[in-house]
Amino acid sequence: MYCGKRDAERKNNDKYRDIFIQGKYAMLLQNENPDYGEYYCNVTNTHVMGATIWSGQKCFRNTHPNEGDIRDMTYWTAPDTHPGNTLDRNPIKEFHDLHKTSILSYPFHHGMDRWTNNIKWFRYLGKEDDDIFYHELPSDISKAYHTEEIERGTGVVVCGSENEVAKNPVLPNSIFEWHLDGRPKYKSQLEAQNQKKSVWRMIALKSHDQLRQRVAWALSQILVVSEQNINHRGLTEGFLNYYDIFVKHAFGNYRDILKEVSYNPLMGKMLSFLDSKSSLYTRQQTSRTIFPDENFAREIMQLFSIGTVLLHIDGTQKIDATTGSPIHTYTNHNIMSFARAWTGFRMQLQRANIEKGEVVDPMFIDPIKRDIFPKISLDMNFIGDGLPLCNDLPRRHFLKKKSQYRLLGSVSAPEMLHEEASWRLKPETFRLVLDKSYSKLYKVLNDFTESKVPGTNVFLKKDIECYGDECIVNTLKQVEVNGIFYEYIRPSCVHLSFFENSKSIRKRNGYAMCENKSNIIAASACTKVSRKESQKQGAIDFCKYSGELVTYKTGKKRCSSKWNTNLVTGEYEFSDWSDIDTYPNGCVHDYYWHWSPKDCTLVAKVFGENGNIAVVHQPDIDSKIDNDINFSVWPEFDDENLNYFPVYWQKNKYPNPGNKCGKKACTITYDGLGCLCKVVIVETPVFEENPRSVNEVLSNLNIGSFPPYILKHLSFDQKFKDIYIYHNKKGIPFDTGTVFGVKMHGKMKYFKNILSKVEVAKNSKYHFRNPPKFYSYRDADMEVSRRDAVYETDAVLDHLFYHPNTAPFISNRLIQRLGVSNPSPNYVKNVATAFCTGLFKWNGTAENIVFGKGFYGDLMSTVSAILLDSEFLSVPLDADPTAGSMKEPLLKLMGFLRALEYNSAPFMPELRMYDLERKLGQEAHAAPSVFSYFLSDFSPPGLLSTSSLFSPEAQIQTPPKIIDSINGMLSFIEFGLVDCSGGFGSFSQFMRPKCPENSTQKWTTRQKRIVANGISKYNPSHLNAEELVDELNTLLLNGRLNQRSRKVIVNFVSKAKNFEQGLHIAQKLIICTPEYHTTSIVINSSGNRAQNEKPPIPKRRYKALVHIMLNGGADSFGMLAPYSDCSSTTSYDEYSRIRGLAAVLKSNLIPIDAGHPQPCKKYGINDNLPFLHQLYNQKDLLFVAGIGMLIGPTEKKNWEKLYAGKVQLFAHDKQQTDIEQVDVFQKYAGTGIGGRIANVLQNNGYESVTLSVGDVSEFLVGDAPVVFLDPISGLQLLHPVPYKTRMNFKTVLHLNGPTTFMSGTFGESWSRMIHRTLNNGNTLNSALKAVEITTAFPNTPLGNQMRAISHLIKTREIRRTERDIFYATSEGWDMHLDLDDRLKILFKELNNALRSFVTEMKEQNIWEEIVVVQTSEFGRTTTPNTSGGTDHAW
């Protein structure tokens, strides 16, 4: 039993029931305060414990709320969890293993705090006697129910996904399995990870549809899924299936891509919205308010559709005239709202015809976990605007043209509609059987069944007449056709949140709520007419099929004497009776909602802080009537409900406690935080005459209409300025029944001439537009249909897809990925226009050629516009210094292999390459994050930055990757595809010779064929040096080799000892030119580039700053928490209450003294950070409360104005840049705080160096170039072949000599990078070889980086540096799910890396001169989300 607010309810379980007692009823239990129930809610109240109470004609005894829970206790059986676990005894397992029972009895000698402190670890699965379906269990639990694991070839038959190719059972399970005589199949974990990448390489290398594959690769970098972010690196089929979305739709429509990506299970895992749940559902299950995961809601906007700032059609930013700053496309309110639209997505069952653990089928929506309340859109409107109202469905809508029926098969259980799961098992359940002889609907559906046409959906081609029961029902659910079942899928429509024609609907278990009596929403309920209330019997639903729903009018009619039934006779009346009898016709099973003649009032509960509202239902309940005393309002709609959602108040003015609830127009809520307002619904026509334009219709009308061709009450009036006008035959022109039809994106849309607004009854100046929603209020009782969740998802996707930003944003991204880093506004406009119109006309030939199908979002027209634009094709424009781009490393490599005609060895038919993500910075299916391999707006410091040019690919062109990528190709030329001298391959699994160590061991072509996984089959058509170089120039450089470089290469080739050596020299030198690495036209100038000067001997003691960036937004609330001796507003209990499941247990905190005045005298450090605790106690560590990018006192109300044009919230990359630059006012544009520190030091005479052992970072950007070191491989020399090859870095420097101001900017930037890399590399490499470090470091990403920093610090005297500024990075801190487990892993990695680093610094006697600073781009929410993680704070 509970006091006040209902927290949960269990269905189909008569053993346990939640009973809630409010107000005066609590006096039955001697409540001291009948208004608030304070004493009643106290666990010390002996009147509650063990008390009994009648509920629903049954007697229930009060128990502990967790009694009867079914919980997963696995965690408590682990060695280091339960205090009593030893090597000899496991108390929790004993209940099952020793006592042979599944009932765990809580030991009487244990205090209850042990249970309450640890319950978060015991996963809740249900209550004893609950009905739970197998597929609803967590996957690891459901697997435990199998007697054996699902293996290939076992399991159930499941329909395949679209375009899925059948498996060949004769072939091996994996393309990377091989057999050795007498040994089992072998496939290493590395090869399992390499499968999908090899498939991509082979297609890129061999496929004949290269343009389609190239576009697919571009799309895959916009809508990213990566093994780096999904804990299933060995998956192959799932990743290939995801990539095939882009291959399939490369010339299709972007809307199809957006939808398939959104339903793909890998995307669900990547952006953590898989299994995200509504707050309503989690509150019902856990008694806690937990918000849905926001990850996907943010990234689908920022990266997949609209970007972060508003754009013109030409891609330029729209500027706020008031602030002079770009206008944001979304706010955190939008993110939170859309997050509710991405709830309920779940995995389908594992199939038996794919490899174990693979996922290829789309996710499905579990409707009971879906958020059912209104959601705001990006344009100050609502998702669902423009759709018709469900109460406007025409009579017999299920027989109208385009009505949809979905094939179910021989089982009648619906797939898209809600139905109690138990119904399918009950013999009394019956379906509507269509008349075989006379029903026209029967004929249509039966013809489809017998035609055996592939597919599951049937659409009526025209209106058809009804027959029999089809003429009587308001709607259909399932219908039976010759033993086969179909379900009717009504068209998409919405419900308004407030309505005047409200009636009560009641439920058999004693609840009531409001519903629109025009909606087909509840069952009828009729009782025999009796003069005495006591003589009434259980009500009966006169239905035509089990679970039939009707309108209030139909329900009332069913109870009249005109209704004929062969089963029941007598006079009946409309009933509000509590008990509905399923006898004699099986219409209703279990608990079901039915219409009542009682009225019902809707009230708005306004949250004072932000104006969000919750809807309160006030059904008429008369306590004087015996039947009514059993009823109460449905708890999620009582006046204490917390189901708030945003609305748009006129002028943002709303009743709140601060204005005395609108000058007492409303009453203050029980908690004092809001106002309870009676409202009236005002509906008025918007236009009283013809609208002036289509845009005026779209801007002013929000309520849609069904097509006039199915609405018989409408008559066409006229077409005026592309607006089709229809009037109500029985109304007057331009009343609320008038309908306007306009064409949007090539499709007709219809709108009603009506504005529905909700006014506060006693103060009409407070009002808001009536919000639409896809769900009825009845759906709050876990009765959501999957149909409506799918419709809402489509509406969200359409809202983003048709947003004005999507066309220029996606167009610009595709242009960049197809080769032009800085398209002009006119270029972007041309492509975006093709995206919008779905057509592109090219007049490059004698006759115009039209590409595209004419639909918005068409990618054939979009790609054609990109590739055939003059800016892409014009040869004179290629000479523009700003034209082109740097090439993507992976595309460079694949182009190189194609040009040299790569040929796989017979024993290794697929293209296996290794460690490309580290060596190149790129690998298929392995982007480092959802932001892909590089940012679209990245501009490297130096020439490109000062020229205000973007070069995304330059972000991964660090010196180690430059050397590794060139060395890999040089190795292929010299040896074939092996791992010698930095090669990308490996040796054959059957032959492993040593790499040549001198010229006498140099391999012949025959030896290469034997040992290499592949070799070049390129055979030049010319033998002399000039023609050979020209041919390679065409193949590798598109004929762009400058004359100076050509002369140098020809000269080297001419001096070769033989043709093979000359060919190799030509190939090696060409791939070192700037033309090979960029698409620039290079124009050389005379002379050589300046060389680095050796710095003077240091005069001052060395110092270093080490910055560790925790990428992703670290949850610092899991690092440090209040512990004890706290103020009244701050305590561990308060921390634990707010954090909920995300709180660190107090037993997992190591206490520390605050040391100076703080809210608490003691804080606790996470016990996975014991070394930080040690450093703190040694006064070597300080915790600093970061303020992020705050520039002054900030509130939600003023942040946008205060920070306009200064920072961009709600985006990882933008906030990471801001935190690394620390330059809110842009005084030092383009520089980082670390780089500026180095500048100041250098200007004051200190020899200062900036060094990165992580990625490229804004933190280090300053006047001096950044030194990079690969933390794993260190610094490699160029072409480290152990014998002379006539290839040296001086020649490469010559090929990358100085250029004129008209030379291509990207080529010049590349040449500068290779110069710095080679000049600095030799010096640094020598220094690193001269010293060694002795401390052991953990082999983790951060451990390797800290080891590299330690090594560099030890070279300080050799490098002659006085000040070093280092940058390291730790990935994976964006924890939208599994917070506790992931924090534990990363905290241990951080702890151990720092321990080794400090040990080494002390060994070098330099620790006192080192400062280590750890930051992250933002903090995280104090409250958890439904994925078990936390979201972005702001």
Side-chain angles (χ1 to χ4, degrees), residues 881 943 1040 1042-1045 1073-1075 1078 1080-1090 1292-1312 1314-1315:
L943 179 61
R1040 291 178 294 109
N1042 68 80
Q1043 287 302 309
R1044 175 172 144 175
S1045 295
T1073 63
E1075 291 93 336
T1078 70
S1080 287
I1081 302 295
V1082 176
I1083 304 173
N1084 290 111
S1085 63
S1086 59
N1088 296 306
R1089 295 183 186 274
V1292 176
L1293 292 179
H1294 190 60
L1295 293 173
N1296 287 273
T1299 61
T1300 70
F1301 73 95
M1302 287 301 295
S1303 184
T1305 308
F1306 293 99
E1308 170 62 14
S1309 296
W1310 168 266
S1311 293
R1312 291 184 184 184
I1314 193 70
H1315 259 263

Side-chain angles (χ1 to χ4, degrees), residues 934-1211:
F934 29 70
L935 299 176
S936 61
D937 57 356
F938 179 76
S939 182
L943 179 61
L944 287 167
S945 180
T946 56
S947 302
S948 299
L949 295 176
F950 298 134
S951 181
E953 300 82 1
Q955 191 169 7
I956 55 175
Q957 303 286 3
T958 61
K961 290 180 173 62
I962 289 172
I963 295 298
D964 284 339
S965 63
I966 295 177
N967 279 348
M969 290 182 281
L970 295 177
S971 172
F972 177 77
I973 295 169
E974 188 72 25
F975 306 110
L977 188 56
V978 293
D979 58 3
C980 299
S981 300
F984 297 133
S986 70
F987 285 116
S988 158
Q989 292 293 328
F990 311 105
M991 300 188 67
R992 299 193 64 85
K994 291 183 178 180
C995 295
E997 296 180 354
N998 53 60
S999 57
T1000 61
Q1001 296 177 354
K1002 186 177 179 181
W1003 292 342
T1004 64
T1005 302
R1006 181 177 178 277
Q1007 287 175 309
K1008 292 180 189 178
R1009 291 196 183 103
I1010 294 173
V1011 301
N1013 287 348
I1015 61 173
S1016 169
K1017 294 285 286 185
Y1018 169 64
N1019 187 18
S1021 55
H1022 303 285
L1023 298 180
N1024 72 63
E1026 289 192 353
E1027 291 175 329
L1028 170 63
V1029 171
D1030 288 342
E1031 184 169 302
L1032 289 172
N1033 178 24
T1034 300
L1035 290 172
L1036 293 169
L1037 308 180
N1038 303 111
R1040 291 178 294 109
L1041 184 64
N1042 68 80
Q1043 287 302 309
R1044 175 172 144 175
S1045 295
R1046 179 181 181 276
K1047 184 177 180 180
V1048 171
I1049 297 171
V1050 168
N1051 182 51
F1052 270 89
V1053 173
S1054 301
K1055 296 177 181 179
K1057 295 179 180 178
N1058 52 54
F1059 176 76
E1060 182 182 29
Q1061 186 187 61
L1063 174 62
H1064 287 180
I1065 289 172
Q1067 293 170 339
K1068 291 177 180 179
L1069 292 178
I1070 279 181
I1071 65 170
C1072 293
T1073 63
E1075 291 93 336
Y1076 179 71
H1077 296 276
T1078 70
T1079 60
S1080 287
I1081 302 295
V1082 176
I1083 304 173
N1084 290 111
S1085 63
S1086 59
N1088 296 306
R1089 295 183 186 274
Q1091 300 297 309
N1092 294 342
E1093 295 182 3
K1094 193 172 184 179
I1097 297 173
K1099 300 177 182 178
R1100 304 171 182 87
R1101 183 169 174 79
Y1102 174 85
K1103 294 181 184 291
L1105 168 66
V1106 179
H1107 178 215
I1108 303 174
M1109 183 70 180
L1110 307 185
N1111 272 339
D1115 195 318
S1116 56
F1117 297 116
M1119 177 182 286
L1120 186 71
Y1123 192 83
S1124 65
D1125 297 327
C1126 300
S1127 66
S1128 58
T1129 58
T1130 305
S1131 67
Y1132 177 81
D1133 290 341
E1134 181 73 358
Y1135 162 85
S1136 181
R1137 182 188 67 80
I1138 294 173
R1139 292 236 87 189
L1141 298 178
V1144 181
L1145 293 177
K1146 198 167 188 178
S1147 58
N1148 295 132
L1149 293 172
I1150 310 172
I1152 58 172
D1153 293 323
H1156 51 85
Q1158 290 287 341
C1160 293
K1161 292 182 179 180
K1162 287 186 180 292
Y1163 286 83
I1165 299 177
N1166 191 300
D1167 62 2
N1168 291 294
L1169 297 166
F1171 186 65
L1172 267 64
H1173 174 254
Q1174 177 183 328
L1175 289 176
Y1176 182 86
N1177 285 338
Q1178 294 172 352
K1179 301 190 182 304
D1180 274 348
L1181 182 138
L1182 184 67
F1183 290 100
V1184 179
I1187 62 170
M1189 302 307 299
L1190 292 180
I1191 59 176
T1194 305
E1195 297 178 343
K1196 287 183 179 180
K1197 295 180 180 179
N1198 72 348
W1199 75 266
E1200 195 162 11
K1201 182 177 180 180
L1202 187 63
Y1203 291 84
K1206 300 179 178 67
V1207 298
Q1208 283 194 43
L1209 302 180
F1210 324 123

Side-chain angles (χ1 to χ4, degrees), residues 435-450:
D435 189 280
K436 184 180 299 187
S437 301
Y438 299 104
S439 172
K440 293 185 178 181
L441 180 59
Y442 175 94
K443 183 177 185 339
V444 172
L445 299 180
N446 191 57
D447 287 349
F448 178 80
T449 305
E450 292 186 347

Side-chain angles (χ1 to χ4, degrees), residues 197-216:
K197 302 168 187 177
S198 286
V199 170
W200 184 90
R201 296 184 208 114
M202 292 301 292
I203 291 174
L205 192 67
K206 302 289 187 180
S207 177
H208 295 294
D209 58 346
Q210 284 294 311
L211 180 57
R212 176 180 291 275
Q213 298 298 333
R214 183 69 179 78
V215 174

